[in-house]
Each structure stands twice: as C-alpha cells, then as structure tokens.
Coordinates of all heavy atoms in Angstrom, one line a residue:
P13 N 18.2 -14.5 4.4 CA 18.4 -13.1 4.1 C 18.4 -12.9 2.6 O 19.0 -13.7 1.8 CB 19.8 -12.8 4.7 CG 20.0 -13.8 5.8 CD 19.2 -15.0 5.3
G14 N 17.8 -11.9 2.1 CA 17.8 -11.6 0.7 C 16.7 -12.3 -0.1 O 16.6 -12.1 -1.3
A15 N 15.9 -13.1 0.6 CA 14.8 -13.8 -0.1 C 13.8 -12.8 -0.7 O 13.3 -13.1 -1.8 CB 14.1 -14.7 0.8
A16 N 13.5 -11.7 -0.1 CA 12.6 -10.7 -0.6 C 13.2 -10.1 -1.9 O 12.5 -9.9 -2.9 CB 12.3 -9.7 0.4
D17 N 14.5 -9.9 -1.9 CA 15.1 -9.3 -3.1 C 14.9 -10.3 -4.3 O 14.6 -9.8 -5.4 CB 16.6 -9.1 -2.9 CG 16.9 -8.0 -1.9 OD1 16.0 -7.5 -1.3 OD2 18.1 -7.7 -1.7
E18 N 15.1 -11.5 -4.0 CA 14.9 -12.6 -5.1 C 13.5 -12.6 -5.6 O 13.2 -12.7 -6.8 CB 15.3 -13.9 -4.6 CG 16.8 -14.1 -4.3 CD 17.7 -13.8 -5.4 OE1 17.4 -14.2 -6.6 OE2 18.8 -13.1 -5.2
A19 N 12.6 -12.5 -4.6 CA 11.1 -12.5 -5.0 C 10.8 -11.3 -5.8 O 10.0 -11.4 -6.7 CB 10.3 -12.6 -3.7
L20 N 11.3 -10.1 -5.4 CA 11.0 -8.9 -6.2 C 11.5 -9.0 -7.6 O 10.8 -8.6 -8.5 CB 11.6 -7.7 -5.4 CG 10.9 -7.3 -4.1 CD1 11.7 -6.4 -3.2 CD2 9.5 -6.6 -4.5
V21 N 12.8 -9.5 -7.8 CA 13.3 -9.6 -9.1 C 12.5 -10.6 -9.9 O 12.2 -10.4 -11.1 CB 14.8 -10.0 -9.1 CG1 15.3 -10.3 -10.5 CG2 15.6 -8.9 -8.5
A22 N 12.0 -11.7 -9.3 CA 11.2 -12.7 -9.9 C 9.9 -12.0 -10.4 O 9.3 -12.3 -11.5 CB 11.0 -13.9 -9.0
L23 N 9.3 -11.2 -9.5 CA 8.0 -10.5 -9.9 C 8.2 -9.6 -11.1 O 7.4 -9.6 -12.0 CB 7.5 -9.7 -8.7 CG 6.9 -10.4 -7.6 CD1 6.7 -9.5 -6.4 CD2 5.5 -11.0 -8.1
I24 N 9.4 -8.9 -11.2 CA 9.7 -8.2 -12.4 C 9.7 -9.1 -13.6 O 9.2 -8.8 -14.7 CB 11.0 -7.4 -12.2 CG1 10.8 -6.3 -11.1 CG2 11.4 -6.7 -13.6 CD1 12.1 -5.7 -10.7
G25 N 10.4 -10.2 -13.5 CA 10.5 -11.2 -14.6 C 9.2 -11.7 -15.0 O 9.0 -12.2 -16.2
E26 N 8.1 -11.7 -14.2 CA 6.8 -12.2 -14.6 C 6.1 -11.1 -15.5 O 5.1 -11.5 -16.2 CB 5.9 -12.5 -13.4 CG 6.4 -13.6 -12.6 CD 5.7 -13.8 -11.3 OE1 4.6 -13.1 -11.1 OE2 6.1 -14.6 -10.5
V27 N 6.5 -9.9 -15.5 CA 5.9 -8.9 -16.3 C 6.4 -9.0 -17.7 O 7.6 -9.1 -17.9 CB 6.2 -7.5 -15.7 CG1 5.7 -6.3 -16.6 CG2 5.7 -7.3 -14.3
P28 N 5.5 -8.9 -18.7 CA 6.0 -8.9 -20.1 C 7.0 -7.8 -20.3 O 6.9 -6.7 -19.8 CB 4.8 -8.7 -20.9 CG 3.6 -9.2 -20.1 CD 4.1 -8.8 -18.7
W29 N 8.1 -8.1 -21.1 CA 9.1 -7.1 -21.3 C 8.6 -5.8 -21.7 O 9.1 -4.7 -21.2 CB 10.1 -7.7 -22.4 CG 11.3 -6.7 -22.5 CD1 11.5 -5.8 -23.6 CD2 12.4 -6.6 -21.7 NE1 12.6 -5.1 -23.4 CE2 13.2 -5.6 -22.2 CE3 12.8 -7.2 -20.5 CZ2 14.4 -5.1 -21.6 CZ3 13.9 -6.7 -19.9 CH2 14.7 -5.7 -20.4
D30 N 7.7 -5.7 -22.6 CA 7.2 -4.4 -23.1 C 6.4 -3.6 -22.0 O 6.0 -2.5 -22.2 CB 6.4 -4.5 -24.4 CG 5.1 -5.3 -24.2 OD1 5.0 -6.2 -23.3 OD2 4.2 -5.1 -25.0
R31 N 6.0 -4.2 -20.9 CA 5.3 -3.6 -19.8 C 6.2 -3.3 -18.6 O 5.8 -2.6 -17.7 CB 4.1 -4.5 -19.3 CG 3.1 -4.7 -20.3 CD 2.4 -3.5 -20.8 NE 1.8 -2.7 -19.7 CZ 1.5 -1.4 -19.9 NH1 1.7 -0.8 -21.0 NH2 1.1 -0.7 -18.8
R32 N 7.5 -3.7 -18.6 CA 8.3 -3.5 -17.5 C 8.6 -2.0 -17.3 O 9.0 -1.6 -16.2 CB 9.6 -4.3 -17.6 CG 9.3 -5.8 -17.5 CD 10.6 -6.6 -17.5 NE 10.2 -8.0 -17.7 CZ 11.1 -9.0 -17.7 NH1 12.4 -8.7 -17.7 NH2 10.7 -10.2 -17.9
G33 N 8.6 -1.2 -18.3 CA 8.7 0.3 -18.1 C 7.6 0.9 -17.4 O 7.7 2.1 -17.0
W34 N 6.5 0.2 -17.1 CA 5.4 0.6 -16.3 C 5.4 0.0 -14.9 O 4.5 0.1 -14.2 CB 4.1 0.2 -17.0 CG 3.9 1.0 -18.3 CD1 4.4 0.7 -19.5 CD2 3.1 2.2 -18.5 NE1 4.0 1.6 -20.4 CE2 3.2 2.6 -19.8 CE3 2.4 3.0 -17.6 CZ2 2.6 3.7 -20.3 CZ3 1.8 4.2 -18.1 CH2 1.9 4.5 -19.4
T35 N 6.6 -0.6 -14.6 CA 6.8 -1.3 -13.3 C 7.8 -0.5 -12.5 O 8.9 -0.2 -13.1 CB 7.2 -2.7 -13.5 OG1 6.3 -3.4 -14.3 CG2 7.5 -3.4 -12.2
V36 N 7.5 -0.1 -11.3 CA 8.4 0.6 -10.4 C 8.7 -0.2 -9.2 O 7.8 -0.7 -8.5 CB 7.8 2.0 -10.0 CG1 8.7 2.7 -9.0 CG2 7.7 2.9 -11.3
L37 N 10.0 -0.3 -8.9 CA 10.4 -1.0 -7.6 C 10.9 0.1 -6.7 O 11.8 1.0 -7.1 CB 11.6 -2.0 -7.9 CG 12.3 -2.5 -6.6 CD1 11.3 -3.4 -5.8 CD2 13.5 -3.2 -7.0
V38 N 10.5 0.1 -5.5 CA 10.9 1.1 -4.5 C 11.8 0.5 -3.5 O 11.4 -0.5 -2.7 CB 9.6 1.7 -3.8 CG1 10.1 2.7 -2.7 CG2 8.7 2.4 -4.7
T39 N 13.0 1.0 -3.4 CA 14.0 0.4 -2.5 C 15.2 1.4 -2.4 O 15.4 2.2 -3.3 CB 14.5 -0.9 -2.9 OG1 15.4 -1.5 -1.9 CG2 15.3 -0.9 -4.2
D40 N 15.9 1.3 -1.3 CA 17.2 2.1 -1.2 C 18.4 1.1 -1.3 O 19.5 1.5 -1.1 CB 17.3 2.9 0.1 CG 16.5 4.2 0.0 OD1 16.1 4.6 -1.1 OD2 16.4 4.9 1.1
D41 N 18.1 -0.1 -1.5 CA 19.1 -1.2 -1.7 C 19.8 -1.0 -3.0 O 19.1 -1.3 -4.1 CB 18.5 -2.6 -1.5 CG 19.4 -3.7 -1.6 OD1 20.3 -3.7 -2.5 OD2 19.3 -4.6 -0.8
R42 N 21.0 -0.7 -3.1 CA 21.7 -0.4 -4.3 C 21.8 -1.6 -5.2 O 21.6 -1.6 -6.4 CB 23.1 0.1 -4.1 CG 23.1 1.5 -3.5 CD 24.5 2.1 -3.4 NE 24.4 3.4 -2.8 CZ 25.4 4.0 -2.2 NH1 26.6 3.4 -2.1 NH2 25.3 5.2 -1.7
A43 N 22.2 -2.8 -4.6 CA 22.3 -4.0 -5.4 C 21.0 -4.4 -6.0 O 20.9 -4.8 -7.2 CB 22.9 -5.1 -4.6
L44 N 19.9 -4.3 -5.3 CA 18.6 -4.6 -5.8 C 18.2 -3.6 -6.8 O 17.6 -4.0 -7.9 CB 17.6 -4.7 -4.6 CG 16.1 -5.0 -5.0 CD1 16.0 -6.3 -5.8 CD2 15.2 -4.9 -3.7
T45 N 18.5 -2.4 -6.7 CA 18.2 -1.4 -7.7 C 18.8 -1.7 -9.0 O 18.2 -1.7 -10.0 CB 18.7 0.0 -7.2 OG1 17.9 0.4 -6.0 CG2 18.5 1.1 -8.3
E46 N 20.1 -2.1 -9.0 CA 20.8 -2.4 -10.2 C 20.2 -3.7 -10.9 O 20.0 -3.7 -12.1 CB 22.3 -2.7 -10.0 CG 23.0 -1.4 -9.7 CD 22.8 -0.3 -10.7 OE1 22.9 -0.6 -11.9 OE2 22.5 0.9 -10.4
R47 N 19.8 -4.7 -10.1 CA 19.2 -5.9 -10.6 C 17.8 -5.6 -11.3 O 17.5 -6.1 -12.3 CB 19.0 -6.9 -9.5 CG 20.4 -7.5 -9.1 CD 20.2 -8.5 -8.0 NE 19.5 -9.7 -8.5 CZ 18.9 -10.6 -7.7 NH1 18.9 -10.5 -6.4 NH2 18.3 -11.6 -8.2
A48 N 17.1 -4.7 -10.6 CA 15.7 -4.3 -11.1 C 15.9 -3.6 -12.5 O 15.2 -3.8 -13.4 CB 15.0 -3.5 -10.1
R49 N 16.8 -2.7 -12.5 CA 17.1 -1.9 -13.7 C 17.5 -2.8 -14.9 O 17.1 -2.7 -16.0 CB 18.1 -0.8 -13.5 CG 17.5 0.3 -12.7 CD 18.6 1.4 -12.4 NE 18.0 2.5 -11.6 CZ 18.8 3.4 -11.0 NH1 20.1 3.3 -11.1 NH2 18.2 4.3 -10.3
S50 N 18.4 -3.8 -14.5 CA 18.9 -4.7 -15.6 C 17.7 -5.6 -16.1 O 17.7 -6.0 -17.2 CB 19.9 -5.6 -15.0 OG 21.1 -4.9 -14.7
A51 N 16.7 -5.8 -15.2 CA 15.5 -6.6 -15.6 C 14.5 -5.8 -16.4 O 13.5 -6.3 -16.8 CB 14.9 -7.2 -14.4

C-alpha cells in the first residue's frame, strides 16, 4: 500500500527543479498532495 504515492513523488523528483512548476499531480489524497507541493 502506498507504493504508487512513493512512485509519484519520485517522478516529481526526476523533474529539474525549475520545471516542477510545469508539473501537475492529480489526486484527492491529502498526504500525497502535501508531499507533491513540498517537492
């Protein structure tokens, strides 16, 4: 459980920092939302 959340956060981490503002994660999972925003 939660493996997809980890994979999604890892995908965000693969994007260069200056391009992350052009990356959108779609979810209603509050914890994942916060992790994605922090990334």
Side-chain angles (χ1 to χ4, degrees):
D17 293 4
E18 296 302 320
L20 288 160
V21 173
L23 285 168
I24 294 166
E26 293 174 9
V27 175
W29 182 259
D30 65 335
R31 297 298 308 158
R32 291 184 191 179
W34 292 85
T35 301
V36 172
L37 171 68
V38 178
T39 187
D40 279 351
D41 180 315
R42 288 183 184 162
L44 179 56
T45 295
E46 289 306 313
R47 291 178 66 197
R49 287 179 181 163
S50 292

